[in-house]
Amino acid sequence: MGKERKNMKGTYFISSISLTSYSVEYGISSIFTLFMLFFMNFSIPLTSTVYSYYYGFAYLLPILIGYISDKYVDESTALTIGYVSMIISQILLCVTTLLHQNGGIELDSIVFNMQSIVLFIGLFFLALGTSFTNISFSHIINSINNDHDSRFVGFSIYYPFINLGILIGVCIMSVIIGEENYGLYSLAFAIFALILIIGFVCFKLFKGKYLVDNYGNPMEEDHSKGSIRDLANKILNALSYKSISKIKNLNLIKRIDSFKNSLNSHEKDRLFVFFIFLLIIIVYRTVFAQTNLSMVFFIDSFVQRDFGSFVIPVQLYFILNPLFILILGPIFLKINNKLTEMGKNFHSITMLIISLLIMGFCYMILCVLGFYIDIGTLDKVNLLWIILFDFLLAISELHFSIPAYSMVGKLNPEKYYALFFGIFTATRSIAMFIAGMISSYFPENPPIFIYNIPFNGLMNFFFIFVIMSIIAAMVLIIFKKNLTAKLHVEDLNQS
């Protein structure tokens, strides 16, 4: 195990650095709605609109950032741009709080005063920064883990650090802000800026020593890149009438053919698997996103949370998932290492199937609970059911997310890695919109019964996610053999 740890030194280093970025990203996410409602005085509809548009934009932006990262900047430069952008965002959000004027009037539309302008500029820099950092961290781990097996181990190490960052960010916001101390947002944003500065300085000071591959060699960044100056010159040249005419007359089919010609046959096969995989992950993330939407409604209304005079706040529910990931992550890694030594490790597609089936079982538990609530024999469910739900969900997430990150590196050509990782990240945007539409049908009124089955009740509602999970798993089971053949694992092992 000592040798294994030494060989993964670079992965542990960059994962530790990523902790600072993720604590800020998810710390902001945990209080975003409260900030809109109680600090900016936005109405609930306006808050929902701003939330959906911001995160829709934030999860689509990585496609553009991925293209820029592939073509014009190396991993270290991209990470630098990300950290600087995030630090600027926290400064601007802090300024937003200092410009606050509490008029006590609920806003149904955005008023473009200095406070709201600074806020949206700050959110733009936050989305820009998180796009650069998330892609860079993944790309670096993919680069320093030089073979097929170590990439899986690398992302198994990386993923618990993400969840530790989430836990730290949520705890910082919970301790500083609490439920009603909304005047302390400026302090929270200042602390987040300091955390980012510490992470950025540590990366710059120690990357030469610790950012090494599995053989102890410094990470190479020898990709063929253009310079920022070249990019600026291309933009200026594009403004000429002649260039504009060329752009106007570009044939999309020729562009696609040019892209295809840059790939060999095995790379094309793996990209086909990649796009099938994207459809599966959209389904998974749509179902998983209900933990931030429908599950909050369910816990608020149908879960016993009061113990004497103490009532457990709904927002503490968000600590369960990262906490279970941190506990189960090392266990998951040890089991995987043991199976690898025995030559019995699971195929990535098999792990995705297991994950989807566990996810379906999680929501089947809610279906059963929902049935008894619908027929009125159960008023509120015991909190232990929610803990069990999140425990199983964490197992599902480990079986899905770690192979998912690992497969991005397997399936994409190195020269297009950041671009396709951006597309992989952008699936969250589609999933968020679909999840939001489904959660809008969360049943609020007593259901109508047909043959003792609740129609539009809680059982029927949660059964939607059971069906989605099972269908996605069945697609992978049916086409597993063909998809595995198109992976061309023998090439991956040789490379």
Side-chain angles (χ1 to χ4, degrees):
M1 188 64 185
K3 183 177 179 182
E4 180 76 16
R5 279 182 173 272
K6 182 179 179 181
N7 288 345
M8 305 304 292
K9 180 171 69 173
T11 299
Y12 279 104
F13 170 72
I14 198 63
S15 298
S16 301
I17 298 298
S18 74
L19 186 149
T20 59
S21 171
Y22 283 110
S23 66
V24 174
E25 178 183 354
Y26 286 94
I28 297 293
S29 175
S30 69
I31 54 88
F32 191 80
T33 300
L34 293 174
F35 185 77
M36 297 292 111
L37 282 173
F38 299 111
F39 194 85
M40 298 298 294
N41 292 324
F42 288 176
S43 65
I44 291 178
L46 181 59
T47 298
S48 301
T49 301
V50 172
Y51 188 97
S52 61
Y53 276 101
Y54 169 70
Y55 281 103
F57 167 75
Y59 290 141
L60 284 176
L61 189 60
I63 298 178
L64 174 62
I65 300 304
Y67 174 79
I68 294 173
S69 297
D70 275 329
K71 202 167 181 65
Y72 300 108
V73 295
D74 56 40
E75 292 96 323
S76 295
T77 304
L79 197 58
T80 299
I81 295 172
Y83 264 94
V84 171
S85 298
M86 290 185 74
I87 292 169
I88 292 173
S89 75
Q90 298 310 295
I91 294 172
L92 290 174
L93 291 176
C94 191
V95 171
T96 300
T97 63
L98 298 177
L99 293 172
H100 178 59
Q101 295 179 349
N102 189 4
I105 301 174
E106 186 176 82
L107 301 176
D108 293 319
S109 61
I110 296 172
V111 177
F112 285 98
N113 53 24
M114 182 60 67
Q115 183 189 20
S116 61
I117 291 172
V118 174
L119 169 65
F120 290 123
I121 294 174
L123 290 176
F124 170 78
F125 275 101
L126 180 62
L128 181 69
T130 54
S131 296
F132 268 110
T133 54
N134 291 349
I135 290 174
S136 300
F137 287 132
S138 176
H139 200 173
I140 289 172
I141 290 175
N142 189 71
S143 299
I144 63 178
N145 291 286
N146 314 91
D147 55 71
H148 171 68
D149 292 329
S150 66
R151 281 176 181 154
F152 185 91
V153 177
F155 283 106
S156 299
I157 294 170
Y158 171 62
Y159 200 71
F161 276 92
I162 294 177
N163 285 273
L164 179 58
I166 296 171
L167 190 62
I168 291 173
V170 172
C171 287
I172 287 175
M173 279 298 181
S174 299
V175 170
I176 294 177
I177 304 301
E179 288 194 29
E180 298 179 355
N181 301 318
Y182 303 118
L184 295 177
Y185 276 116
S186 56
L187 177 60
F189 295 140
I191 291 175
F192 278 157
L194 180 61
I195 290 173
L196 290 168
I197 291 171
I198 292 172
F200 178 59
V201 171
C202 288
F203 174 73
K204 286 295 186 181
L205 288 178
F206 301 112
K207 70 173 183 176
K209 182 178 180 180
Y210 294 107
L211 195 55
V212 296
D213 64 17
N214 302 123
Y215 304 104
N217 303 314
M219 184 185 72
E220 296 183 2
E221 297 181 294
D222 55 355
H223 306 90
S224 178
K225 308 276 186 185
S227 67
I228 296 297
R229 178 179 293 182
D230 292 337
L231 175 60
N233 289 335
K234 288 180 180 180
I235 293 174
L236 292 174
N237 291 335
L239 297 178
S240 68
Y241 175 78
K242 185 177 180 181
S243 297
I244 291 174
S245 298
K246 289 181 179 179
I247 293 173
K248 184 178 179 181
N249 295 322
L250 279 178
N251 191 317
L252 180 60
I253 296 177
K254 290 183 179 179
R255 279 177 170 265
I256 295 174
D257 288 341
S258 176
F259 171 74
K260 288 181 178 179
N261 292 335
S262 70
L263 306 173
N264 60 42
S265 60
H266 286 187
E267 288 175 331
K268 291 176 183 177
D269 283 346
R270 284 194 284 269
L271 279 183
F272 172 79
V273 178
F274 175 74
F275 284 109
I276 297 297
F277 164 67
L278 287 186
L279 296 177
I280 299 297
I281 200 171
I282 287 172
V283 173
Y284 183 87
R285 283 178 164 166
T286 299
V287 177
F288 190 85
Q290 297 304 316
T291 57
N292 292 332
L293 295 166
S294 302
M295 280 302 296
V296 175
F297 307 148
F298 182 75
I299 292 170
D300 184 48
S301 301
F302 301 107
V303 175
Q304 184 70 30
R305 294 182 291 112
D306 54 321
F307 295 88
S309 60
F310 177 69
V311 179
I312 299 176
V314 177
Q315 56 263 34
L316 285 182
Y317 161 74
F318 292 101
I319 293 178
L320 286 176
N321 183 259
L323 187 61
F324 281 134
I325 293 293
L326 287 174
I327 295 170
L328 296 173
I331 299 173
F332 180 84
L333 179 58
K334 286 185 178 181
I335 293 174
N336 180 72
N337 289 340
K338 197 69 176 178
L339 290 173
T340 301
E341 292 173 2
M342 298 169 59
K344 298 180 180 180
N345 54 317
F346 289 114
H347 192 282
S348 293
I349 295 179
T350 302
M351 295 185 72
L352 299 183
I353 294 170
I354 293 172
S355 171
L356 287 163
L357 293 176
I358 294 174
M359 175 77 85
F361 180 73
C362 287
Y363 281 93
M364 182 60 74
I365 293 174
L366 296 181
C367 284
V368 175
L369 295 175
F371 173 75
Y372 286 105
I373 292 173
D374 287 332
I375 62 177
T377 60
L378 189 62
D379 183 19
K380 290 190 176 183
V381 304
N382 194 298
L383 185 61
L384 291 176
W385 286 110
I386 303 303
I387 296 175
L388 175 63
F389 173 87
D390 258 283
F391 176 78
L392 294 174
L393 198 67
I395 297 175
S396 170
E397 186 179 357
L398 284 169
H399 278 81
F400 195 94
S401 296
I402 293 175
Y405 278 95
S406 177
M407 284 182 72
V408 174
K410 296 177 189 176
L411 299 176
N412 297 330
E414 176 64 23
K415 54 182 172 289
Y416 298 121
Y417 179 87
L419 172 61
F420 282 101
F421 184 81
I423 295 174
F424 163 72
T425 305
T427 56
R428 293 181 183 176
S429 178
I430 301 172
M432 284 291 287
F433 280 116
I434 298 174
M437 287 191 298
I438 296 175
S439 67
S440 66
Y441 293 100
F442 185 85
E444 294 181 307
N445 299 317
I448 300 171
F449 289 87
I450 301 177
Y451 297 107
N452 292 325
I453 297 176
F455 183 71
N456 288 337
L458 287 168
M459 187 188 78
N460 292 53
F461 177 78
F462 287 122
F463 196 65
I464 295 172
F465 309 115
V466 176
I467 294 297
M468 291 177 67
S469 301
I470 291 176
I471 289 176
M474 290 302 299
V475 168
L476 289 178
I477 291 172
I478 293 171
F479 297 103
K480 179 183 175 182
K481 185 176 181 180
N482 292 334
L483 294 175
T484 303
K486 288 183 177 294
L487 283 175
H488 302 288
V489 179
E490 67 282 355
D491 291 353
L492 294 173
N493 291 333
Q494 290 174 5
S495 63

